[in-house]
Amino acid sequence: MMKALLVDDEVNNLTSLEFLLHHDCEGIEVAGKAQNAREAREWLQTYHADVIFLDINMPVEDGFQFLKSLSFQNFKVVFVTAHNEYALQAIKASAVDYILKPVNIDELQKAVEKVKRSLNNPAALEQNHALLQHLLETVNKKMPPQKIALPQLGSISFIEVDDMVSLQADSNYTIIHMKDMQKLVISKTLKDFEELLDTKQFARIHKSYIVNLRYIKEYSTIDGGIVKMSDGNQWSISRRQLDIFLDKMKMASLMFGKNK
């Protein structure tokens, strides 16, 4: 039976999450509850948790500060949060598990099943530790993520956001075109990346394409609108995205849109 520690400063949230885990999730029991980081640390000195469901926005010490205070992390972490934009971006960029408040039963069940699979895989636990470290290094920078963690079979690729030329939808996958001409196929949708990337640097120009404005070589009005990228790719611009794209290009380039 997998043991869980719940950490949240609001008693109602602890009670609700405990109820859902007990009644709707198999193979897991709530072994402990804590209302702040100090209580959680003290509990961990005596007991063991396979997974910690951790709130972020707590008084005195938030969830990130709590994790940084621990000398050893031999457990999985699932963030349960309704936190601010940059914190959520950092969590997504680090590929760390999270559930948004209010907790959805389906999402909670998926998270529990994912934790179960990883506990039987030592490599997955090491990978989880590396992802958490990446998160803790970037979360307090108050800016869009500069690197994105992409877990793959037996490894993690950390790619620079600035090196992404464009992103192309392929069903439930995304093909990332890198500036060195590499292509990465990632099991995330284009919408996942749209929510993650800095909207000042990246533009959704079509249901199938996101482009990095820094790598646009040419914009053509042929066939309604086409962008030519520095790596040779050409992508169509949909009519509904055209005005948004042009506005972003005007902000990204001092010369773009000026009258001659």
Side-chain angles (χ1 to χ4, degrees):
M1 183 71 75
M2 187 166 61
K3 297 186 181 298
L5 169 64
L6 315 184
V7 186
D8 195 307
D9 63 305
E10 295 187 25
V11 176
N12 289 343
N13 289 338
L14 289 173
T15 303
S16 174
L17 183 55
E18 181 179 24
F19 179 88
L20 293 175
L21 288 169
H22 179 71
H23 289 276
D24 297 291
C25 300
E26 295 182 359
I28 186 169
E29 67 170 309
V30 175
K33 294 182 290 184
Q35 286 187 250
N36 54 56
R38 178 184 56 78
E39 288 182 9
R41 263 193 307 272
E42 291 176 355
W43 189 92
L44 288 170
Q45 289 173 3
T46 306
Y47 306 101
H48 168 72
D50 297 301
V51 57
I52 296 179
F53 289 88
L54 180 62
D55 184 29
I56 295 175
N57 194 18
M58 299 185 294
V60 185
E61 282 182 76
D62 65 23
F64 301 126
Q65 292 170 319
F66 164 66
L67 289 177
K68 286 182 178 180
S69 74
L70 302 178
S71 57
F72 184 63
Q73 299 164 6
N74 61 340
F75 45 76
K76 284 278 292 181
V77 175
V78 177
F79 290 101
V80 185
T81 180
H83 208 257
N84 65 60
E85 174 190 0
Y86 289 124
L88 196 52
Q89 276 190 321
I91 288 171
K92 291 179 178 180
S94 301
V96 175
D97 294 330
Y98 70 96
I99 302 170
L100 290 177
K101 294 179 180 178
V103 175
N104 176 281
I105 293 175
D106 290 338
E107 293 300 314
L108 179 61
Q109 289 173 334
K110 288 177 184 177
V112 169
E113 289 303 314
K114 189 173 180 181
V115 171
K116 285 181 187 177
R117 291 195 299 270
S118 68
L119 290 177
N120 296 321
N121 185 345
L125 287 174
E126 289 184 20
Q127 193 177 76
N128 176 69
H129 182 71
L131 294 174
L132 272 178
Q133 290 304 115
H134 177 252
L135 169 64
L136 296 178
E137 288 169 5
T138 60
V139 71
N140 291 323
K141 294 184 178 179
K142 303 298 182 186
M143 63 176 64
Q146 304 303 301
K147 286 187 178 182
I148 296 179
L150 301 174
Q152 296 169 338
L153 189 61
S155 66
I156 305 170
S157 295
F158 294 96
I159 65 171
E160 296 281 349
V161 170
D162 285 347
D163 293 344
M164 300 164 64
V165 176
S166 57
L167 300 90
Q168 178 185 6
D170 183 9
S171 186
N172 289 326
Y173 292 80
T174 296
I175 301 170
I176 302 178
H177 299 266
M178 304 296 293
K179 74 173 184 180
D180 62 1
M181 309 301 283
Q182 268 193 306
K183 293 182 183 179
L184 303 174
V185 181
I186 308 301
S187 60
K188 288 183 179 293
T189 66
L190 203 62
K191 181 174 175 58
D192 291 328
F193 284 100
E194 184 180 19
E195 293 174 351
L196 174 62
L197 297 169
D198 184 1
T199 56
K200 294 179 182 177
Q201 183 178 350
F202 290 85
R204 180 80 177 255
I205 62 168
H206 188 278
K207 66 179 182 180
S208 298
Y209 311 117
I210 293 176
V211 297
N212 187 336
L213 301 177
R214 297 178 183 178
Y215 291 102
I216 292 177
K217 187 176 180 180
E218 184 181 332
Y219 160 64
S220 171
T221 57
I222 297 174
D223 295 328
I226 293 174
V227 289
K228 298 180 180 180
M229 309 303 295
S230 61
D231 61 357
N233 281 315
Q234 299 185 40
W235 309 125
S236 299
I237 306 173
S238 67
R239 289 183 179 179
R240 61 185 297 181
Q241 298 292 347
L242 182 57
D243 288 343
I244 298 172
F245 165 74
L246 293 176
D247 286 342
K248 287 189 176 184
M249 283 303 297
K250 287 176 184 178
M251 295 178 66
S253 170
L254 291 175
M255 297 303 296
F256 194 91
K258 281 192 173 183
N259 295 323
K260 292 185 179 180

